[in-house]
Amino acid sequence: MNDATPLLSRLAAAWRKPVGVSSRQALSALFMCALFAGAHLARIGTPLARITTGSLLLGSIALFFVRWWKERRDWFDPRRTLERTLLPADKKLGERALRALSLVQRTHREDGAGSKELAQVHFERLLARASVDAVAEAADRRATTFRRISLALVLAAFAALAVGPPRVLEGIDVLLARGGRAPVPMPWLDALRVTAQPPSYLRQSDRHLFPSIPARLPAGTLLSIHGVPLRDGRQLVLTDGDGEVPFVSDGRGGVVARWTVERDAELVVAARFGKVLIEEPDKVTVENQPDELPVVTLEGAPKTLKLADVSRVELRYEALDDHGLRQVDLVLRSGGREERRTLAKLDGNKTSERGGHALTPRDPFLRRMFLPVVVTVEARDDDPVGGPKWGVSEAITLIPPAVGEPEANRYAALLGARNLTTDFLAWQMLEKGELAAKDRSKEERRRAERVADAMQNAVDDVYGGLTVPDGLRAFLLGQMRILTRAPRPGESVQRKTEEVVLGVDVALSTVATHDAQSVAKRLGDVAEEAAAGAEQARESEKRKLGLTRLDSAIAALDEGAERLGTLGALGRDLGSVTLADLGRVKRARKSEDLFHAELAARHLAARLRRPTPSFGSAQRGGVESGTPGQNGAHGGSPSQASERFDQLASELEQLVQEHASEIDQVEQALGEAEQGVDLDSLKDEARERADAIRRSLGGLPQTGADPGSGRAAAALGKEHAGSMAQSLERLSLSDAVQSGKDALSALEDAERKAKSPRSPSDWVDEEDLSRSREEVKRQLGWAQEQLDKLKRQAEAKAKAQLEKSGEREQGHSRRAGNLAARGKNGETALPQDALEALERAEGLMRQAARALSEGKGEKGLSLQREAQRQLERSNNGKTTDTESDRPEPSSGKESGNGGIRTGGDVPKKDDGKRAEEFRRRVLRGLGKAKDGRLAPAVRRYAEGLLE
């Protein structure tokens, strides 16, 4: 076949040149048509559409490689070469050549098939007869067919492209997507505009963002992405890779999508095609700025204090938040107990809050605790997006004294003073006249004063926040006054001391009994805590915590029982009971028998909450039981001093209440009489005078100057003068006079500062000030004159009622005198300060009665008010009062329970700005208060602060 190869090569060359090019063109056109048409299908974005399109493209590529492989194979095979070239040109010759080729191949395989040389010659002669031109003509015909197919496919491809070139690009992009994201970004919106709307609780205005610049935004910010679509019919979305928001029409030819900022995100505009997104090249980068926790600073924290060493714990705090505060709480925690107290309720506008609060050892929560108390201040912000958050300050840890320790210390101190009194009596009884009368009297006075000083120190001291009740203090100091006063003619000094000793002893016995009962009940709570700890350790998974509670309660019971045993007879009784039952609890705890430990603790709690003597009649009481008898009587007590003192205190309290009611009646009578006076004749003149005041104020500055300056004082005077004008128009003469006095004082202050200015804020036109001051002074004189007339007329109308009040006031004065006389000596002796206040009240009431009987209502009312204050000073309560401290108002800001801030300080006069602001606030507040029997006193006190 070597000689036939050139002939076959010529035939192949004649066929391959036209047919090969046209076939490759057809395959290329097929691929282009599959690509463009398939892009429309792939654009649907579903997995099936993308797989179908990919299959079409892969199929067209596979055809190309199949053709290449087939061509490469066929042209090296003589038989396939003849089939592809000679058969299409000359079928008969081609068939003969194929048979000859078969004979040649058989002679080479089989030795008996014939002559190889003859078969080869025959095959070559047949090939020599083949026409290359005929093969070329056949190849041209085949190439023409391929070209026609190529043209049709190209036309179809361009038709697919003409439908929408962007759609083809989008389809190709979708086809190449991975993980739902197309590889090539495409623009979708024109005139992109990004607006950020902060959460409403921040009260901030909207702002525009630059899409290419990262923005730090508060959590909850609403982003609005506006734009104009570049192509219609696309489903546009805003996505951060995890979620997406569709664009909707904005009603103005554009689209908008809104996104709420909750975390850091890269927002991008994308078009959705089924499961695939084609994103824009530019992104909007957003950094989430979360609402920070409030920062709370507690002055002095962290620190640890022993409650027994302090009488008052001052808590000053500052709370800060990046956006706004809603609430500030004081939180007390001890063991498993927690108590929250609202210190401030805010509207969310303030980002900082300062305030204070005070805790005393007598606080109900602190008194109940026997474990360390952790005190913190917590502030809540106003974040509605992530929910309100609490910021917590550092803690102040309060270590409470052992249960009953303050009571035991107080009783020991009083008992020590009582013992000195007993020693004094023993000295009087044993002194057999070795001293001269003069020396004896001097020594008695010295010893009596020593006893009185010891008692004074005992009742004035504070015992872990616990003080001596006011009534008991008054009784004891009254007895000391009797002890130290000079004996009257014929009076037995020793007998006087005996009565004092007996009275003090009975009073202290009563105190010890009440304290023992109180401590026992609190120890009952501790025993209940021990039972709860045992139950928790036995029945829950928190065994370790339960055992800790149990052990802490056992230790507290041990210490408390020791203190309880020092509180008189009842205390010793209950203390021994506590130690006995506590032993059962300890033995059960040691043997891990938590069930019986719980039972023993609950039995002890029930016994301590019923603090009655173990022996003797609890109903009868008496000395042997250590408890007072029925109805507060002391039964067989050797002294009735405390009982009679309490009777005197009750009568004094009744007098205080009745006298206060009498003052109210006088105020009401004068008020009704003033309302009944006809002032219509003054209406026109008062209006003219009010207008004259307003005209004179035209040159004075408005508010807003630096506090404490001359301009600020002038503005304050203008404000008060305006108030005076309004009161004149209403014919409220009393208010007009008060406002006029305030205005005159402020204007005089401004005039002084204007004459000696220290800063530009002190510069005020002196002529304007002088004119205003003179006008206010002139109208004030007229208002005062009319007010005096009004009061005289009112007193005349109310004279009959005032005379009756005078008679009742005289009766009150006699009662006060009687009480003062009883309080000077004997078992009902009052302390010196209370006695002096009661005597002053008696004298003032006599003067008030005289003034009221003469129809001088205002003078009588003023004297009555002063007498009432003296009466209240003399009223200290009863010896049976067990509350050692009267309620102390919180020193913080107004709290949720209506507490009033009392911890503010009065600025010094040198601090001009703060002093002026304080003055303005006080005067405004006083201007609102019209009624109340203490209103004039409050006003005078406040004016004294402003001097």
Side-chain angles (χ1 to χ4, degrees):
M1 290 183 60
N2 292 337
D3 295 333
T5 300
L7 296 174
L8 286 173
S9 299
R10 287 196 299 270
L11 293 177
W15 180 270
R16 290 176 65 181
K17 184 175 181 180
V19 174
V21 173
S22 61
S23 64
R24 286 193 296 271
Q25 291 175 348
L27 287 174
S28 299
L30 176 62
F31 179 79
M32 183 183 300
C33 182
L35 179 63
F36 289 174
H40 287 278
L41 178 62
R43 188 175 176 275
I44 298 175
T46 62
L48 179 61
R50 294 176 62 204
I51 291 173
T52 303
T53 302
S55 300
L56 291 175
L57 293 176
L58 291 176
S60 61
I61 295 173
L63 285 176
F64 180 85
F65 283 102
V66 168
R67 179 192 171 280
W68 173 81
W69 175 79
K70 189 175 181 182
E71 288 281 326
R72 183 179 179 84
R73 185 196 64 176
D74 290 353
W75 300 125
F76 286 97
D77 189 344
R79 177 175 293 280
R80 288 192 176 91
T81 303
L82 290 175
E83 290 175 352
R84 295 189 63 178
T85 58
L86 189 55
L87 278 178
D90 188 346
K91 185 175 182 180
K92 291 183 178 181
L93 182 60
E95 291 174 349
R96 293 178 62 187
L98 287 174
R99 287 195 296 271
L101 178 62
S102 298
L103 180 61
V104 172
Q105 293 174 341
R106 192 168 66 247
T107 59
H108 282 81
R109 292 193 305 267
E110 302 174 4
D111 294 339
S115 173
K116 296 178 181 179
E117 291 78 6
L118 290 176
Q120 181 67 31
V121 171
H122 176 64
F123 176 65
E124 291 176 355
R125 287 179 179 175
L126 289 176
L127 287 180
R129 293 172 57 186
S131 172
V132 176
D133 294 336
V135 172
E137 290 178 1
D140 288 338
R141 290 194 299 271
R142 182 67 59 85
T144 300
T145 302
F146 280 128
R147 282 193 289 271
R148 289 174 180 172
I149 293 173
S150 299
L151 179 61
L153 291 173
V154 168
L155 291 176
F158 277 102
L161 181 63
V163 170
R167 299 172 68 89
V168 174
L169 297 177
E170 294 164 0
I172 296 174
D173 210 4
V174 171
L175 180 64
L176 299 176
R178 292 293 181 272
R181 295 290 188 275
V184 181
M186 302 178 69
W188 300 111
L189 291 180
D190 190 19
L192 188 66
R193 181 164 49 92
V194 183
T195 304
Q197 179 183 354
S200 58
Y201 77 98
L202 299 183
R203 293 166 293 279
Q204 298 177 1
S205 58
D206 298 356
R207 62 189 181 108
H208 297 283
L209 305 179
F210 293 100
S212 58
I213 301 177
R216 185 172 175 81
L217 302 172
T221 298
L222 182 64
L223 289 179
S224 298
I225 315 294
H226 298 263
V228 179
L230 294 174
R231 292 176 291 277
D232 295 332
R234 274 66 174 176
Q235 181 185 351
L236 300 182
V237 298
L238 182 67
T239 178
D240 67 344
D242 295 327
E244 60 185 45
V245 175
F247 279 86
V248 296
S249 173
D250 62 0
R252 294 176 293 181
V255 292
V256 62
R258 293 179 172 84
W259 184 278
T260 301
V261 177
E262 296 176 350
R263 59 185 181 275
D264 294 348
E266 288 187 342
L267 302 179
V268 62
V269 178
R272 173 162 289 286
F273 299 92
K275 300 293 185 179
V276 178
L277 289 176
I278 302 179
E279 300 176 346
E280 275 202 346
D282 296 329
K283 296 183 178 181
V284 178
T285 302
V286 176
E287 297 179 9
N288 180 39
Q289 183 181 356
D291 193 340
E292 300 292 340
L293 280 173
V295 177
V296 186
T297 304
L298 182 58
E299 185 177 309
K303 65 180 178 181
T304 301
L305 299 174
K306 290 186 176 180
L307 280 177
D309 298 338
V310 297
S311 60
R312 185 179 179 90
V313 181
E314 297 286 349
L315 304 173
R316 293 184 176 85
Y317 65 87
E318 181 178 14
L320 303 173
D321 189 59
D322 50 351
H323 297 312
L325 295 167
R326 281 288 182 184
Q327 185 172 329
V328 180
D329 283 0
L330 174 69
V331 183
L332 307 175
R333 295 185 179 91
S334 179
R337 293 180 174 85
E338 176 180 309
E339 181 174 307
R340 305 183 73 92
R341 301 175 186 178
T342 300
L343 299 179
K345 285 278 191 180
L346 306 170
D347 57 4
N349 292 325
K350 296 183 65 176
T351 58
S352 65
E353 174 70 6
R354 289 185 178 183
H357 191 81
L359 289 174
T360 67
R362 298 298 298 165
D363 184 275
F365 184 86
L366 299 181
R367 290 188 63 190
R368 294 195 307 269
M369 295 303 108
F370 58 92
L371 295 177
V373 180
V374 178
V375 181
T376 58
V377 176
E378 299 185 7
R380 178 170 64 89
D381 65 9
D382 62 342
D383 181 11
V385 179
K389 298 181 288 296
W390 289 90
V392 184
S393 71
E394 293 282 355
I396 294 179
T397 303
L398 303 179
I399 307 299
V403 178
E405 182 178 348
E407 289 84 354
N409 292 340
R410 182 179 66 178
Y411 181 67
L414 295 175
L415 201 61
R418 191 282 313 267
N419 291 340
L420 286 178
T421 311
T422 307
D423 293 343
F424 178 46
L425 176 60
W427 177 84
Q428 288 178 327
M429 296 174 65
L430 296 176
E431 204 279 318
K432 300 300 183 180
E434 290 85 353
L435 297 176
K438 182 178 180 181
D439 293 337
R440 176 185 173 87
S441 176
K442 184 177 180 181
E443 181 65 16
E444 282 183 342
R445 189 179 309 109
R446 186 185 67 79
R447 288 177 178 267
E449 289 176 354
R450 178 188 171 199
V451 172
D453 291 341
M455 185 64 75
Q456 183 76 54
N457 293 332
V459 299
D460 288 345
D461 206 351
V462 178
Y463 308 92
L466 192 68
T467 60
V468 177
D470 290 340
L472 178 61
R473 181 181 185 276
F475 172 77
L476 294 176
L477 293 182
Q479 293 300 307
M480 293 301 104
R481 187 176 63 80
I482 295 298
L483 188 67
T484 56
R485 69 170 171 78
R488 295 175 180 177
E491 181 181 19
S492 171
V493 177
Q494 182 176 327
R495 178 61 180 170
K496 178 184 68 172
T497 306
E498 289 174 354
E499 292 177 351
V500 169
V501 170
L502 291 175
V504 170
D505 190 63
V506 171
L508 294 190
S509 175
T510 303
V511 169
T513 299
H514 285 303
D515 284 350
Q517 292 171 341
S518 174
V519 171
K521 291 177 181 178
R522 279 187 280 138
L523 282 176
D525 295 337
V526 180
E528 191 65 38
E529 173 71 9
E535 181 182 17
Q536 183 180 24
R538 181 171 57 85
E539 297 182 355
S540 73
E541 298 177 356
K542 300 180 180 179
R543 177 180 176 85
K544 184 175 181 181
L545 178 60
L547 291 176
T548 301
R549 292 176 64 185
L550 173 59
D551 293 340
S552 300
I554 289 175
L557 282 168
D558 215 348
E559 293 184 4
E562 181 181 351
R563 303 307 192 281
L564 180 59
T566 64
L567 295 175
L570 180 61
R572 288 190 295 273
D573 181 3
L574 296 176
S576 63
V577 170
T578 304
L579 290 174
D581 284 4
L582 183 58
R584 297 169 54 200
V585 178
K586 288 180 178 180
R587 288 190 296 273
R589 167 67 179 93
K590 186 176 182 180
S591 62
E592 296 292 329
D593 185 0
L594 298 180
F595 175 72
H596 286 93
E598 178 189 350
L599 291 181
R602 294 198 187 280
H603 178 270
L604 176 58
R607 176 65 182 91
L608 291 174
R609 287 170 178 169
R610 184 174 50 84
T612 56
S614 300
F615 303 98
S617 173
Q619 295 295 325
R620 185 184 73 251
V623 176
E624 75 279 2
S625 65
T627 60
Q630 291 176 320
N631 303 323
H634 292 283
S637 174
S639 175
Q640 304 296 319
S642 59
E643 179 184 354
R644 291 170 181 169
F645 181 89
D646 290 343
Q647 183 179 356
L648 175 68
S650 298
E651 295 178 17
L652 182 55
E653 174 65 25
Q654 184 178 3
L655 176 60
V656 170
Q657 295 175 0
E658 292 179 2
H659 191 259
S661 176
E662 186 63 39
I663 293 175
D664 292 339
Q665 293 184 32
V666 174
E667 288 177 342
Q668 182 179 359
L670 290 175
E672 292 175 352
E674 287 182 5
Q675 293 176 3
V677 177
D678 187 8
L679 297 177
D680 290 343
S681 59
L682 300 176
K683 187 176 296 183
D684 294 338
E685 184 178 359
R687 186 180 299 109
E688 292 176 359
R689 292 180 179 274
D691 292 339
I693 293 175
R694 293 192 181 98
R695 286 193 299 271
S696 70
L697 302 176
L700 298 184
Q702 300 291 336
T703 57
D706 292 339
S709 64
R711 295 184 64 82
L716 181 61
K718 182 177 182 178
E719 183 179 344
H720 285 306
S723 177
M724 177 185 180
Q726 292 179 2
S727 298
L728 283 177
E729 286 182 337
R730 298 195 309 267
L731 291 178
S732 181
L733 297 177
S734 180
D735 293 341
V737 168
Q738 186 59 51
S739 297
K741 291 179 180 179
D742 296 337
L744 199 60
S745 175
L747 291 174
E748 290 173 350
D749 185 27
E751 209 167 9
R752 285 194 302 272
K753 292 178 179 178
K755 289 179 180 179
S756 303
R758 296 183 179 180
S759 68
S761 296
D762 289 333
W763 295 343
V764 188
D765 191 323
E766 294 184 31
E767 185 177 348
D768 291 339
L769 282 173
S770 178
R771 181 173 60 254
S772 300
R773 181 175 58 79
E774 291 300 326
E775 185 63 33
V776 170
K777 186 176 181 181
R778 187 168 65 87
Q779 303 306 338
L780 176 60
W782 179 84
Q784 185 67 60
E785 180 183 354
Q786 299 304 319
L787 179 61
D788 292 341
K789 291 181 180 179
L790 172 63
K791 289 183 176 181
R792 287 195 296 271
Q793 294 176 17
E795 288 176 347
K797 292 187 67 174
K799 186 174 182 180
Q801 295 182 0
L802 294 177
E803 289 176 350
K804 293 179 181 179
S805 295
E807 295 176 1
R808 292 192 294 268
E809 188 71 14
Q810 187 65 36
H812 293 323
S813 71
R814 287 194 295 268
R815 289 172 59 187
N818 182 34
L819 293 175
R822 291 164 59 189
K824 288 181 180 179
N825 299 296
E827 298 173 330
T828 57
L830 292 172
Q832 189 63 35
D833 56 347
L835 183 60
E836 291 175 355
L838 187 56
E839 290 176 341
R840 284 195 295 270
E842 178 197 3
L844 290 169
M845 284 190 284
R846 282 200 305 269
Q847 298 177 39
R850 190 180 307 113
L852 292 173
S853 299
E854 295 172 357
K856 299 176 181 179
E858 290 297 328
K859 180 180 178 181
L861 184 59
S862 177
L863 291 169
Q864 279 184 307
R865 288 168 176 164
E866 182 61 30
Q868 182 68 18
R869 281 192 288 275
Q870 297 298 330
L871 280 177
E872 291 172 352
R873 283 186 57 192
S874 65
N875 182 26
N876 293 307
K878 303 177 183 179
T879 61
T880 54
D881 293 341
T882 57
E883 185 58 41
S884 300
D885 282 334
R886 295 184 179 180
E888 296 185 16
S890 162
S891 61
K893 290 180 180 284
E894 288 190 7
S895 61
N897 59 6
I900 301 175
R901 178 175 182 172
T902 61
D905 58 340
V906 178
K908 302 298 183 182
K909 189 173 182 180
D910 298 339
D911 191 354
K913 294 183 178 181
R914 294 182 63 233
E916 188 63 35
E917 290 178 350
F918 178 75
R919 179 186 180 87
R920 184 182 293 111
R921 291 196 305 270
V922 171
L923 291 176
R924 285 179 180 172
L926 292 176
K928 297 177 183 177
K930 302 291 192 298
D931 301 322
R933 58 188 176 85
L934 296 180
V938 172
R939 183 181 294 277
R940 286 194 298 273
Y941 172 73
E943 288 173 348
L945 293 178
L946 303 178
E947 292 179 355

